[in-house]
Amino acid sequence: MNYLDSLYWIHERTKFGIKPGVKRMEWMLQRLGNPEQHIQAIHVGGTNGKGSTVAYLRDALMNNDYQVGTFTSPYIESFNERISLNGAPISNDEIVELVARVKPVSEAMDAETELGVATEFEIITTMMYLYFGEIHPVDFVIVEAGLGVKNDSTNVIKPILSILTSIGLDHTDILGNTYLDIARDKSAIIKEGVPVVYAVKNEEALKLIRDVSESLGSKGLEFDRDVLIVSEEDEFTYRYKDYELENIVLNMLGEHQKENAALAITALIELNEQGVIHIDFNKMIDGIEMVNWRGRIERVSTDPLIILDGAHNQESVNALVDTIEKYYHLEKVDVLFSAIDGKPIHHMLQAFDEIAQHIYVTHFNFPKALPMEKLYAEIESEHKSMVDDYVSFIQNYQGDALLITGSLYFISEVKSKLGFN
């Protein structure tokens, strides 16, 4: 199989949908010699902020001369970036090699067991563990959980540290309809005796996370209790125990990004105190300050101003609106929106009322993408339109500021079709 054949085989797994549980993962990894047991992993879960937190950890470690693997989803520009080595996607040849190893194992599982066929995400996750656990070992692997944690394909490791960025109402059809339901699922990121750094706001969810970490003897490091930040315009001061790090200025805009950076800093300090890593704090902060994360408050044009952001649930839309108001000082922007099924569309669109001059809705090429007619019907404002050809719309946009958002999958397609790199 060549690269395109390999990609086709992987993507063909999407027809098997989402299958919660880790039994198929455990079976395949056991057949492959349990490569996941040979990595030092930092497991990152949460509703929002996972990707940014992974990037902060990665660049801080790389700036201290560590070799770092990352596993993230979804991809923005190329499939290979899902599995990256020191920030660079693995090669096409490596994808082919991994598929050649994983495909027969997946097929054997289907033939020899009643576990069924592996899903696309299970295949990719297995490839990642095989790559970093055997083919190309690194010092640390930062693993971003996919959907939830308890039944997520990544949840087959005992990490050296866990991070829970947030808990919000997303994927409620699978994880549950309340913050407490979702907290029960995501609390599975906490492993016995393994430190966990978390930023959970909802009181019921927060109590559960505290209780679980205490019951498992896991050191819990809580944002706004153990970890504090003092925000001042573009910069912030970080405080934890006797540590005080001042004048931190991020490339990534938004108060939520300061929180994500604080979680990463706390995780690195904890690992440093344990002797797992040895970091130069100046290099750590330099690495974190330099981070850019594609598809998050990403300015792709200045005249006119065009910003891309993959806000994909109500909490992330609220953070996006707050960032646009605080950092861009714009009274109104035009919004181009598209999203996938299973999201609180009405509330997401309603959140743009503060900043939207006009809301345009469109559709894109993705199996779960919602038709623009359905999106249009959810907008209460009279200032709304449907856009059938969003590529032409963006290319000919004549307004002052355009915000393109609603789904990371949508942002990925926009960047691909418009050449925003």
Side-chain angles (χ1 to χ4, degrees):
M1 295 176 74
N2 59 26
Y3 175 68
L4 291 179
D5 291 334
S6 299
L7 278 193
Y8 177 80
W9 179 77
I10 293 169
H11 293 323
E12 193 184 24
R13 310 292 94 193
T14 57
K15 67 186 179 187
F16 301 115
I18 297 169
K19 298 180 181 179
V22 296
K23 291 187 182 299
R24 287 174 299 280
M25 286 296 304
E26 291 171 343
W27 195 94
M28 289 189 292
L29 289 168
Q30 192 276 329
R31 272 292 178 97
L32 290 165
N34 290 116
E36 81 285 0
Q37 295 178 6
H38 304 146
I39 67 173
Q40 291 202 95
I42 300 171
H43 202 185
V44 181
T47 304
N48 297 307
K50 291 179 292 185
S52 303
T53 304
V54 168
Y56 291 132
L57 289 165
R58 178 198 65 203
D59 284 21
L61 287 167
M62 284 173 54
N63 225 33
N64 276 275
D65 301 320
Y66 287 105
Q67 297 285 306
V68 185
T70 53
F71 180 63
T72 57
S73 60
Y75 67 88
I76 300 297
E77 292 174 5
S78 74
F79 172 83
N80 299 31
E81 70 193 51
R82 299 284 297 272
I83 305 171
S84 290
L85 174 64
N86 294 328
I90 63 173
S91 70
N92 292 355
D93 288 344
E94 287 171 317
I95 292 288
V96 172
E97 179 185 0
L98 288 166
V99 168
R101 293 279 302 276
V102 172
K103 184 174 183 283
V105 172
S106 170
E107 291 172 346
M109 179 176 68
D110 186 32
E112 299 173 20
T113 77
E114 296 180 354
L115 294 171
V117 183
T119 67
E120 181 190 44
F121 192 69
E122 288 170 338
I123 292 296
I124 300 166
T125 309
T126 302
M127 289 167 57
M128 177 270 296
Y129 282 134
L130 178 62
Y131 184 75
F132 292 122
E134 181 186 320
I135 294 173
H136 201 304
V138 291
D139 296 313
F140 302 98
V141 183
I142 309 167
V143 178
E144 179 188 333
L147 200 163
V149 174
K150 183 179 180 180
N151 294 303
D152 187 69
S153 302
T154 63
N155 196 33
V156 291
I157 48 172
K158 183 169 183 179
I160 57 173
L161 185 138
S162 300
I163 298 178
L164 187 54
T165 58
S166 65
I167 288 176
L169 297 177
D170 200 4
H171 299 295
T172 53
D173 53 331
I174 296 172
L175 303 180
N177 294 312
T178 69
Y179 285 99
L180 193 56
D181 288 335
I182 294 173
R184 287 193 185 99
D185 183 285
K186 293 185 186 290
S187 68
I189 204 165
I190 306 170
K191 302 298 189 295
E192 186 174 359
V194 176
V196 57
V197 183
Y198 56 92
V200 177
K201 305 294 194 304
N202 178 267
E203 284 300 322
E204 281 189 311
L206 181 57
K207 182 180 185 305
L208 185 135
I209 297 302
R210 288 171 176 167
D211 290 346
V212 171
S213 61
E214 184 178 346
S215 67
L216 292 175
S218 302
K219 183 178 181 181
L221 302 174
E222 183 180 311
F223 184 80
D224 268 348
R225 182 190 68 182
D226 307 295
V227 180
L228 301 172
I229 62 171
V230 180
S231 185
E232 302 169 9
E233 297 272 334
D234 295 339
E235 64 183 47
F236 71 99
T237 298
Y238 168 92
R239 290 175 183 154
Y240 166 57
K241 296 200 294 192
D242 293 332
Y243 299 95
E244 182 168 286
L245 307 175
E246 297 180 310
N247 308 123
I248 302 173
V249 182
L250 304 175
N251 270 333
M252 302 275 279
L253 299 179
E255 294 301 306
H256 58 299
Q257 292 298 349
K258 296 173 183 178
E259 179 178 306
N260 295 334
L263 296 180
I265 294 168
T266 307
L268 295 167
I269 289 175
E270 175 64 20
L271 292 174
N272 191 66
E273 288 191 344
Q274 290 180 12
V276 176
I277 59 175
H278 301 284
I279 54 172
D280 178 311
F281 277 52
N282 289 325
K283 290 181 179 179
M284 173 182 71
I285 297 302
D286 286 346
I288 285 171
E289 288 185 328
M290 291 186 295
V291 167
N292 286 303
W293 195 239
R294 289 165 297 179
R296 274 77 167 185
I297 315 286
E298 181 181 1
R299 183 168 60 186
V300 294
S301 171
T302 302
D303 186 18
L305 178 64
I306 300 177
I307 298 168
L308 307 182
D309 191 273
H312 56 281
N313 53 48
Q314 189 173 353
E315 289 83 4
S316 58
V317 168
N318 290 340
L320 170 59
V321 169
D322 180 69
T323 302
I324 292 295
E325 289 179 325
K326 285 186 177 178
Y327 290 87
Y328 281 93
H329 308 297
L330 297 168
E331 288 187 12
K332 293 290 181 180
V333 299
D334 292 320
V335 176
L336 177 64
F337 183 93
S338 196
I340 63 174
D341 197 15
K343 303 292 182 177
I345 300 301
H346 182 80
H347 297 294
M348 290 171 68
L349 288 164
Q350 198 172 37
F352 287 115
D353 285 349
E354 295 179 39
I355 62 168
Q357 178 169 272
H358 198 102
I359 299 180
Y360 300 88
V361 293
T362 189
H363 53 86
F364 67 107
N365 184 27
F366 189 76
K368 293 175 64 180
L370 288 167
M372 61 182 176
E373 292 81 6
K374 181 175 178 58
L375 298 173
Y376 183 85
E378 294 291 340
I379 303 172
E380 295 179 355
S381 168
E382 295 179 0
H383 305 290
K384 60 181 181 178
S385 304
M386 287 186 282
V387 173
D388 187 49
D389 181 357
Y390 73 78
V391 173
S392 176
F393 173 81
I394 295 169
Q395 288 174 333
N396 296 294
Y397 178 71
Q398 298 294 316
D400 295 323
L402 178 64
L403 174 61
I404 304 171
T405 187
S407 167
L408 276 168
Y409 296 104
F410 177 44
I411 296 304
S412 177
E413 187 176 291
V414 169
K415 286 176 71 71
S416 172
K417 290 194 172 186
L418 274 298
F420 290 143
N421 297 318

